[in-house]
Amino acid sequence: MTNAACEHWLQCGTLLLEVNSGHLYCDDVAVTLDSKPLQVLLALARAPDRRVSKQTLLQTVWGADAVDSALSQSIFRLRAVMQVSDHKIIVSRRG
């Protein structure tokens, strides 16, 4: 695979995300994400091994229309989609 092609894929363990289409492959099973959960996943994936604050996610994904419950729903959806993985990909922390 060329570097140009690699830029459109993000991988974490058995999870593989095709950035342009929003397709997530969990253990080689394709799952399509809605727009907002996909944007949340991309924001998290672009900050590997770093904490991303709730405020940062709200501002990045929803901007001025930010609502806490929308972020909670998106995280819930992502966790449901990624439940096939043995390790925690999205971890909530206080602070």
Side-chain angles (χ1 to χ4, degrees):
M1 190 179 293
T2 67
N3 284 343
C6 291
E7 292 175 10
H8 301 288
W9 293 89
L10 297 173
Q11 184 171 5
C12 181
T14 60
L15 302 173
L16 185 64
L17 174 65
E18 203 289 310
V19 175
N20 293 331
S21 70
H23 286 102
L24 177 67
Y25 296 88
C26 300
D27 294 327
D28 296 324
V29 177
V31 179
T32 302
L33 292 174
D34 293 333
S35 174
K36 295 303 184 186
L38 173 62
Q39 290 176 43
V40 170
L41 181 59
L42 288 171
L44 294 171
R46 289 181 176 131
D49 300 322
R50 291 182 299 190
R51 289 184 182 178
V52 180
S53 73
K54 179 165 79 171
Q55 286 308 111
T56 298
L57 287 173
L58 287 169
Q59 183 62 39
T60 300
V61 177
W62 286 273
D65 298 327
V67 178
D68 284 2
S69 61
L71 176 58
S72 296
Q73 286 296 329
S74 289
I75 296 292
F76 177 82
R77 174 70 179 129
L78 287 171
R79 286 181 173 146
V81 165
M82 294 187 283
Q83 70 183 349
V84 297
S85 178
D86 290 336
H87 57 283
K88 290 188 176 188
I89 304 291
I90 301 173
V91 179
S92 298
R93 303 235 191 254
R94 288 192 171 267

